[in-house]
Amino acid sequence: MAGDQKGKAKAEQAKGKVKETIGRAVGNERLEAEGRAEQSKGDARQAKEKAKDVFKH
């Protein structure tokens, strides 16, 4: 399960980065903001999983 969550975090970060980059390239501020938000969500998920790992060991 933890590996699945870590994978989701990486996917969210990557998807967000793509959205942000495309939004910036075409001048779409909304898409750019969505990308940043998605990256943040992925970062938060990743931090949560790292914290779980610390307490498991």
Side-chain angles (χ1 to χ4, degrees), residues 18-37:
V18 169
K19 276 187 177 181
E20 181 183 8
T21 301
I22 291 171
R24 187 176 296 132
V26 298
N28 185 331
E29 290 179 14
R30 181 172 161 241
L31 187 60
E32 192 176 341
E34 283 178 17
R36 281 194 303 270

Side-chain angles (χ1 to χ4, degrees), residues 40-55:
S40 294
K41 185 177 173 186
D43 291 344
R45 186 186 304 265
Q46 187 176 34
K48 181 177 119 182
E49 291 305 314
K50 283 184 180 180
K52 282 183 185 178
D53 288 346
V54 167
F55 290 109

Side-chain angles (χ1 to χ4, degrees), residues 3-17 38-39 41-43 45-46 49-50:
D4 181 46
Q5 292 299 314
K6 288 178 184 178
K8 283 183 182 180
K10 290 290 184 188
E12 284 176 341
Q13 290 168 329
K15 187 177 170 185
K17 186 65 175 171
E38 222 164 295
Q39 285 180 73
K41 185 177 173 186
D43 291 344
R45 186 186 304 265
Q46 187 176 34
E49 291 305 314
K50 283 184 180 180

